[in-house]
mmCIF file of all heavy atoms in Angstrom:
data_model
loop_
_atom_site.group_PDB
_atom_site.id
_atom_site.type_symbol
_atom_site.label_atom_id
_atom_site.label_comp_id
_atom_site.label_asym_id
_atom_site.label_seq_id
_atom_site.Cartn_x
_atom_site.Cartn_y
_atom_site.Cartn_z
ATOM 1 N N ARG X 333 1.494 -11.463 23.802
ATOM 2 C CA ARG X 333 1.622 -12.279 25.018
ATOM 3 C C ARG X 333 3.045 -12.833 25.150
ATOM 4 O O ARG X 333 3.637 -12.816 26.241
ATOM 5 C CB ARG X 333 0.601 -13.420 24.954
ATOM 6 C CG ARG X 333 0.437 -14.266 26.207
ATOM 7 C CD ARG X 333 1.371 -15.466 26.302
ATOM 8 N NE ARG X 333 1.531 -16.252 25.116
ATOM 9 C CZ ARG X 333 0.906 -17.414 24.856
ATOM 10 N NH1 ARG X 333 0.041 -17.888 25.708
ATOM 11 N NH2 ARG X 333 1.148 -18.086 23.759
ATOM 12 N N ASN X 334 3.608 -13.299 24.020
ATOM 13 C CA ASN X 334 4.953 -13.877 24.064
ATOM 14 C C ASN X 334 6.022 -12.827 24.373
ATOM 15 O O ASN X 334 6.963 -13.100 25.122
ATOM 16 C CB ASN X 334 5.275 -14.588 22.747
ATOM 17 C CG ASN X 334 4.432 -15.830 22.551
ATOM 18 O OD1 ASN X 334 3.828 -16.331 23.501
ATOM 19 N ND2 ASN X 334 4.359 -16.325 21.323
ATOM 20 N N ILE X 335 5.865 -11.647 23.810
ATOM 21 C CA ILE X 335 6.828 -10.575 24.086
ATOM 22 C C ILE X 335 6.749 -10.206 25.571
ATOM 23 O O ILE X 335 7.766 -10.046 26.261
ATOM 24 C CB ILE X 335 6.561 -9.330 23.189
ATOM 25 C CG1 ILE X 335 6.878 -9.667 21.725
ATOM 26 C CG2 ILE X 335 7.392 -8.125 23.651
ATOM 27 C CD1 ILE X 335 6.434 -8.596 20.728
ATOM 28 N N ALA X 336 5.518 -10.097 26.092
ATOM 29 C CA ALA X 336 5.329 -9.769 27.512
ATOM 30 C C ALA X 336 5.965 -10.839 28.389
ATOM 31 O O ALA X 336 6.624 -10.526 29.401
ATOM 32 C CB ALA X 336 3.841 -9.624 27.812
ATOM 33 N N LYS X 337 5.791 -12.079 28.003
ATOM 34 C CA LYS X 337 6.340 -13.204 28.767
ATOM 35 C C LYS X 337 7.867 -13.188 28.756
ATOM 36 O O LYS X 337 8.528 -13.275 29.805
ATOM 37 C CB LYS X 337 5.844 -14.508 28.135
ATOM 38 C CG LYS X 337 5.712 -15.675 29.076
ATOM 39 C CD LYS X 337 4.986 -16.792 28.355
ATOM 40 C CE LYS X 337 4.961 -18.052 29.174
ATOM 41 N NZ LYS X 337 4.176 -19.098 28.460
ATOM 42 N N GLU X 338 8.436 -12.992 27.546
ATOM 43 C CA GLU X 338 9.900 -12.922 27.397
ATOM 44 C C GLU X 338 10.500 -11.824 28.270
ATOM 45 O O GLU X 338 11.589 -11.955 28.813
ATOM 46 C CB GLU X 338 10.275 -12.579 25.956
ATOM 47 C CG GLU X 338 10.348 -13.756 25.007
ATOM 48 C CD GLU X 338 10.422 -13.235 23.559
ATOM 49 O OE1 GLU X 338 10.873 -12.084 23.330
ATOM 50 O OE2 GLU X 338 10.004 -13.994 22.681
ATOM 51 N N ARG X 339 9.777 -10.712 28.349
ATOM 52 C CA ARG X 339 10.289 -9.563 29.109
ATOM 53 C C ARG X 339 9.947 -9.644 30.590
ATOM 54 O O ARG X 339 10.308 -8.741 31.358
ATOM 55 C CB ARG X 339 9.724 -8.269 28.501
ATOM 56 C CG ARG X 339 10.217 -8.040 27.099
ATOM 57 C CD ARG X 339 9.729 -6.729 26.539
ATOM 58 N NE ARG X 339 10.233 -6.538 25.176
ATOM 59 C CZ ARG X 339 10.207 -5.397 24.514
ATOM 60 N NH1 ARG X 339 9.691 -4.332 25.087
ATOM 61 N NH2 ARG X 339 10.695 -5.323 23.302
ATOM 62 N N GLY X 340 9.217 -10.666 30.961
ATOM 63 C CA GLY X 340 8.853 -10.863 32.366
ATOM 64 C C GLY X 340 7.922 -9.786 32.898
ATOM 65 O O GLY X 340 7.988 -9.438 34.090
ATOM 66 N N LEU X 341 7.054 -9.276 32.038
ATOM 67 C CA LEU X 341 6.152 -8.216 32.475
ATOM 68 C C LEU X 341 5.082 -8.786 33.406
ATOM 69 O O LEU X 341 4.472 -9.808 33.101
ATOM 70 C CB LEU X 341 5.477 -7.555 31.258
ATOM 71 C CG LEU X 341 6.428 -6.985 30.190
ATOM 72 C CD1 LEU X 341 5.633 -6.373 29.048
ATOM 73 C CD2 LEU X 341 7.389 -5.970 30.793
ATOM 74 N N SER X 342 4.870 -8.109 34.509
ATOM 75 C CA SER X 342 3.866 -8.624 35.457
ATOM 76 C C SER X 342 2.463 -8.228 35.016
ATOM 77 O O SER X 342 1.481 -8.861 35.400
ATOM 78 C CB SER X 342 4.155 -8.109 36.875
ATOM 79 O OG SER X 342 4.037 -6.714 36.898
ATOM 80 N N GLY X 343 2.353 -7.175 34.228
ATOM 81 C CA GLY X 343 1.049 -6.747 33.728
ATOM 82 C C GLY X 343 1.263 -5.858 32.522
ATOM 83 O O GLY X 343 2.336 -5.253 32.353
ATOM 84 N N TYR X 344 0.254 -5.789 31.676
ATOM 85 C CA TYR X 344 0.388 -4.967 30.466
ATOM 86 C C TYR X 344 -0.989 -4.674 29.898
ATOM 87 O O TYR X 344 -1.975 -5.350 30.209
ATOM 88 C CB TYR X 344 1.274 -5.675 29.420
ATOM 89 C CG TYR X 344 0.871 -7.091 29.068
ATOM 90 C CD1 TYR X 344 0.057 -7.355 27.978
ATOM 91 C CD2 TYR X 344 1.320 -8.168 29.832
ATOM 92 C CE1 TYR X 344 -0.304 -8.663 27.641
ATOM 93 C CE2 TYR X 344 0.966 -9.472 29.513
ATOM 94 C CZ TYR X 344 0.167 -9.717 28.408
ATOM 95 O OH TYR X 344 -0.188 -10.991 28.100
ATOM 96 N N ASN X 345 -1.037 -3.623 29.082
ATOM 97 C CA ASN X 345 -2.272 -3.268 28.390
ATOM 98 C C ASN X 345 -2.109 -3.569 26.897
ATOM 99 O O ASN X 345 -1.051 -3.299 26.313
ATOM 100 C CB ASN X 345 -2.572 -1.773 28.552
ATOM 101 C CG ASN X 345 -2.861 -1.414 29.982
ATOM 102 O OD1 ASN X 345 -1.967 -0.992 30.718
ATOM 103 N ND2 ASN X 345 -4.078 -1.613 30.412
ATOM 104 N N LEU X 346 -3.166 -4.092 26.310
ATOM 105 C CA LEU X 346 -3.230 -4.334 24.886
ATOM 106 C C LEU X 346 -4.340 -3.470 24.317
ATOM 107 O O LEU X 346 -5.463 -3.488 24.849
ATOM 108 C CB LEU X 346 -3.528 -5.813 24.577
ATOM 109 C CG LEU X 346 -2.467 -6.814 25.045
ATOM 110 C CD1 LEU X 346 -2.914 -8.236 24.733
ATOM 111 C CD2 LEU X 346 -1.119 -6.522 24.385
ATOM 112 N N GLN X 347 -4.027 -2.706 23.288
ATOM 113 C CA GLN X 347 -5.044 -1.755 22.789
ATOM 114 C C GLN X 347 -5.022 -1.616 21.268
ATOM 115 O O GLN X 347 -3.972 -1.472 20.650
ATOM 116 C CB GLN X 347 -4.767 -0.379 23.412
ATOM 117 C CG GLN X 347 -5.803 0.678 23.055
ATOM 118 C CD GLN X 347 -5.612 1.962 23.852
ATOM 119 O OE1 GLN X 347 -5.159 1.928 24.991
ATOM 120 N NE2 GLN X 347 -5.936 3.085 23.248
ATOM 121 N N PHE X 348 -6.230 -1.657 20.697
ATOM 122 C CA PHE X 348 -6.434 -1.269 19.295
ATOM 123 C C PHE X 348 -7.203 0.044 19.306
ATOM 124 O O PHE X 348 -8.283 0.121 19.924
ATOM 125 C CB PHE X 348 -7.324 -2.296 18.563
ATOM 126 C CG PHE X 348 -6.641 -3.553 18.130
ATOM 127 C CD1 PHE X 348 -6.864 -4.748 18.819
ATOM 128 C CD2 PHE X 348 -5.822 -3.577 17.017
ATOM 129 C CE1 PHE X 348 -6.277 -5.934 18.405
ATOM 130 C CE2 PHE X 348 -5.222 -4.757 16.595
ATOM 131 C CZ PHE X 348 -5.445 -5.944 17.295
ATOM 132 N N ASN X 349 -6.700 1.066 18.652
ATOM 133 C CA ASN X 349 -7.483 2.269 18.427
ATOM 134 C C ASN X 349 -8.192 2.095 17.088
ATOM 135 O O ASN X 349 -7.557 1.728 16.089
ATOM 136 C CB ASN X 349 -6.567 3.504 18.393
ATOM 137 C CG ASN X 349 -5.916 3.761 19.736
ATOM 138 O OD1 ASN X 349 -6.501 3.478 20.785
ATOM 139 N ND2 ASN X 349 -4.693 4.255 19.724
ATOM 140 N N VAL X 350 -9.481 2.313 17.086
ATOM 141 C CA VAL X 350 -10.273 2.066 15.868
ATOM 142 C C VAL X 350 -10.978 3.341 15.450
ATOM 143 O O VAL X 350 -11.929 3.784 16.109
ATOM 144 C CB VAL X 350 -11.305 0.934 16.091
ATOM 145 C CG1 VAL X 350 -12.009 0.598 14.778
ATOM 146 C CG2 VAL X 350 -10.640 -0.311 16.672
ATOM 147 N N GLY X 351 -10.465 3.956 14.384
ATOM 148 C CA GLY X 351 -11.088 5.169 13.850
ATOM 149 C C GLY X 351 -10.460 6.432 14.428
ATOM 150 O O GLY X 351 -9.931 6.436 15.528
ATOM 151 N N GLU X 352 -10.541 7.475 13.606
ATOM 152 C CA GLU X 352 -9.937 8.763 13.959
ATOM 153 C C GLU X 352 -10.442 9.304 15.298
ATOM 154 O O GLU X 352 -9.668 9.807 16.102
ATOM 155 C CB GLU X 352 -10.303 9.760 12.852
ATOM 156 C CG GLU X 352 -9.168 10.603 12.382
ATOM 157 C CD GLU X 352 -9.556 11.388 11.144
ATOM 158 O OE1 GLU X 352 -10.110 12.489 11.293
ATOM 159 O OE2 GLU X 352 -9.302 10.861 10.027
ATOM 160 N N SER X 353 -11.738 9.157 15.551
ATOM 161 C CA SER X 353 -12.330 9.735 16.769
ATOM 162 C C SER X 353 -11.839 8.986 18.008
ATOM 163 O O SER X 353 -11.942 9.485 19.136
ATOM 164 C CB SER X 353 -13.856 9.708 16.708
ATOM 165 O OG SER X 353 -14.314 8.399 16.652
ATOM 166 N N ALA X 354 -11.291 7.786 17.833
ATOM 167 C CA ALA X 354 -10.731 7.025 18.956
ATOM 168 C C ALA X 354 -9.209 7.172 19.024
ATOM 169 O O ALA X 354 -8.549 6.488 19.793
ATOM 170 C CB ALA X 354 -11.106 5.548 18.838
ATOM 171 N N GLY X 355 -8.670 8.072 18.180
ATOM 172 C CA GLY X 355 -7.240 8.350 18.254
ATOM 173 C C GLY X 355 -6.375 7.559 17.294
ATOM 174 O O GLY X 355 -5.153 7.614 17.378
ATOM 175 N N GLN X 356 -7.003 6.823 16.375
ATOM 176 C CA GLN X 356 -6.176 6.104 15.390
ATOM 177 C C GLN X 356 -5.570 7.108 14.420
ATOM 178 O O GLN X 356 -6.289 7.922 13.815
ATOM 179 C CB GLN X 356 -7.022 5.076 14.621
ATOM 180 C CG GLN X 356 -6.145 4.190 13.715
ATOM 181 C CD GLN X 356 -6.934 3.093 13.009
ATOM 182 O OE1 GLN X 356 -8.152 2.960 13.152
ATOM 183 N NE2 GLN X 356 -6.213 2.290 12.222
ATOM 184 N N ILE X 357 -4.236 7.060 14.302
ATOM 185 C CA ILE X 357 -3.568 7.985 13.365
ATOM 186 C C ILE X 357 -2.885 7.239 12.225
ATOM 187 O O ILE X 357 -2.630 7.818 11.184
ATOM 188 C CB ILE X 357 -2.555 8.919 14.074
ATOM 189 C CG1 ILE X 357 -1.554 8.154 14.929
ATOM 190 C CG2 ILE X 357 -3.271 9.956 14.943
ATOM 191 C CD1 ILE X 357 -0.367 8.980 15.406
ATOM 192 N N ILE X 358 -2.606 5.960 12.426
ATOM 193 C CA ILE X 358 -2.004 5.151 11.353
ATOM 194 C C ILE X 358 -3.061 4.127 10.931
ATOM 195 O O ILE X 358 -3.470 3.287 11.727
ATOM 196 C CB ILE X 358 -0.742 4.417 11.838
ATOM 197 C CG1 ILE X 358 0.251 5.371 12.502
ATOM 198 C CG2 ILE X 358 -0.115 3.630 10.680
ATOM 199 C CD1 ILE X 358 1.282 5.994 11.677
#
Side-chain angles (χ1 to χ4, degrees):
R333 188 272 315 261
N334 292 344
I335 292 170
K337 208 170 173 178
E338 275 168 24
R339 295 183 180 194
L341 304 180
S342 63
Y344 53 94
N345 294 95
L346 296 178
Q347 184 172 328
F348 282 105
N349 294 328
V350 186
E352 226 170 86
S353 63
Q356 187 176 1
I357 53 168
I358 308 268

